[in-house]
Amino acid sequence: MLNFIKNFRNDEDGAVTVDWVVLTAAIVALGLLVGTTVRNAAIAKTDLIVADIEAVAGTTTP
């Protein structure tokens, strides 16, 4: 029984799994943050383009 406890204490396989889970979660969170930022910037730029086209065409969208 004492040998089992020593082996359990020295086993690091679970720690590596936790490291990978945390790293993966951080990468996913960073991806979502970048995606949201790019989406918002693209929407703002699209609104400017639409406004310019409407100004040239002399129309407005409802």
Side-chain angles (χ1 to χ4, degrees), residues 6 20 22 30 34 40-41 45 47-49 51-52 54:
K6 286 181 183 178
W20 277 106
V22 170
L30 181 62
V34 169
N40 291 339
K45 188 60 80 170
D47 290 342
L48 291 174
I49 292 170
D52 287 345
E54 287 174 348

Side-chain angles (χ1 to χ4, degrees), residues 30-53:
L30 181 62
L32 289 171
L33 179 67
V34 169
T36 301
T37 303
V38 169
R39 179 181 178 272
N40 291 339
I43 289 171
K45 188 60 80 170
T46 302
D47 290 342
L48 291 174
I49 292 170
V50 168
D52 287 345
I53 290 173

